[in-house]
Amino acid sequence: MRLSRFFMPILKENPKEAEIVSHRLMLRAGMIRQQSAGIYTWLPLGKRVLDKVNAIVREEQNRAGAIELLMPTLQSAELWQESGRYEAYGDEMLRIKDRNKRDMLYGPTNEEMITDVFRSYVKSYKNLPLNLYHIQLKFRDERRPRFGTMRSREFLMKDAYSFDLTKDDAIHSYNKMFAAYLRTFDRLGLRAIPMRADTGPIGGNHSHEFIILADTGESEVFCHKSFLDRDIPGIDTDFDDKAGLQAIFDGWTSDYAATSEMHDEAAFNGISEDARLSARGIEVGHIFYFGTKYSETMGAKVQGPDGKEHTVHMGSYGIGPTRLVPAIIEASHDENGIIWPKSVAPFDAVVINMKSGDAACDTACDTIYASLSKAGFDMLYDDTDDRAGTKFATADLIGVPVQIVAGPRAVANGEVEIKDRLTGARETMTIDAAINKLIASR
Ligand code: ATP
Ligand code: MG
């Protein structure tokens, strides 16, 4: 992508409305624009990052055996009247009437709708286990939308729903998502800690919030320091291996970790003082086994091997991609801007032409841009007429992992400079060496 042809409205001034660094940087880098309170347009640079986050979420859901579909944002009130949540949900639900005066709503979540899909088609235990998910916009009329897309009213959620014949099978489904979440957040460059969350009347310990530690987080959290360097389940994880997944779950839940809602002071004080961590955190995911709560009221039953009808056991599993983007920035930035993990960077590298219009500089940049694009890199090429200082500041702000700087003096020697955004390390080398080094680093 040539910057001169891209749409990346950088802000020079610090936006006054932004209280936290991720919100400020997303506005300054031209990633998002607020359209009304808590409702955002994802501008092209932001959309690139969001797409990469979604791709990783999707890959790990698929790896764990979940199947993607797409449900609508607008739902009929009838389904929610069936489950009893139409009244119970309260002011967070946006209620709408269509032209025939039918009650509709903008979905804040999809348990009812997926249960309706399930009961319409699945009649036998032979079709289980089943886990269906989608990545779709939700609307919650939050009392206090704030921090940009961290807590917005319209936001994207990956929500998966599992269906099983028995509780035991449902726990296996839960453990699949538990392991998939560990892998997902790790690939996004984040250390997410599964913390015990409220299970309400269901009881048990099968509700976990995945929390990223950050000073700006809205939750107060308490955990053992061991979570900071635990092993993440590998790419070879066998999701059909019930015992193997149970061992991952047991290992990851053996030490204390809870948010303030579930905090047990005595248990926490049982940890040796130097291993106690009390901090603030951002909830980026939530998994929940809720038994037959919806399947019972909505009549989602299958025939079991015994020939009898069984109400299915369900779980739901959410991740917030539009919250993850600012969460990643909270975890990875410096005074000059964002530092993207490679996995979600909007571009893999940026070529900075320090003297656009200079024949030698243009040729060097064209060569690098073409060669690396051909090798599969997502390239940005700053071919604008901006001053060198502005170009450097922009490249640092938008956080692309590698900068390749072509200035007239170096190019006269057939050389360019490579700068690593994370470490700030710079290295001068020939144009060919630079291209080869980047390709080798993939
Ligand atoms: P919170 O406690 O932050 O309001 P929640 O418990 O209401 O979250 P869930 O219903 O479990 O959230 O939704 C699943 C995921 O969706 C959350 O883990 C989060 O990543 C994301 N999410 C929820 N609400 C918002 C929001 N208002 N803006 C952005 N993402 C959100
Ligand atoms: Mg909420």
Side-chain angles (χ1 to χ4, degrees), residues 253-265:
T253 53
S254 60
D255 279 330
Y256 185 84
T259 62
S260 55
E261 285 157 28
M262 292 293 289
H263 187 45
D264 174 350
E265 193 72 32

Side-chain angles (χ1 to χ4, degrees), residues 279-290:
R280 300 200 69 82
I282 302 167
E283 179 198 323
V284 287
H286 187 180
I287 61 177
F288 193 8
Y289 162 73
F290 50 73

Side-chain angles (χ1 to χ4, degrees), residues 89-95 106 108 139-143:
Y89 214 93
D91 287 343
E92 271 197 17
M93 180 185 277
L94 179 63
R95 295 153 209 260
Y106 193 136
F139 193 93
R140 293 181 185 174
D141 206 348
E142 299 274 354
R143 183 185 297 274

Side-chain angles (χ1 to χ4, degrees), residues 71-101:
M71 290 177 272
T73 52
L74 294 184
Q75 307 188 16
S76 134
E78 279 164 31
L79 279 178
W80 290 69
Q81 282 154 352
E82 253 191 83
S83 74
R85 281 210 293 180
Y86 189 60
E87 298 308 325
Y89 214 93
D91 287 343
E92 271 197 17
M93 180 185 277
L94 179 63
R95 295 153 209 260
I96 308 160
K97 276 196 201 299
D98 71 9
R99 66 196 298 162
N100 298 313
K101 307 280 180 289

Side-chain angles (χ1 to χ4, degrees), residues 109-169:
T109 178
N110 282 59
E111 279 83 3
E112 283 78 359
M113 188 170 277
I114 199 74
T115 305
D116 179 59
V117 170
F118 179 88
R119 72 180 172 186
S120 305
Y121 299 105
V122 183
K123 307 288 180 199
S124 163
Y125 76 95
K126 290 180 187 156
N127 299 313
L128 304 182
L130 186 63
N131 183 328
L132 298 171
Y133 78 96
H134 69 164
I135 301 179
Q136 175 64 292
L137 291 169
K138 305 287 182 288
F139 193 93
R140 293 181 185 174
D141 206 348
E142 299 274 354
R143 183 185 297 274
R144 245 192 114 190
R146 58 179 186 158
F147 302 158
T149 64
M150 188 78 89
R151 179 172 298 285
S152 50
R153 295 199 296 165
E154 189 186 51
F155 59 95
L156 206 53
M157 198 200 287
K158 181 289 297 177
D159 38 328
Y161 303 89
S162 65
F163 300 88
D164 286 280
L165 183 65
T166 64
K167 176 169 182 191
D168 188 55
D169 291 346

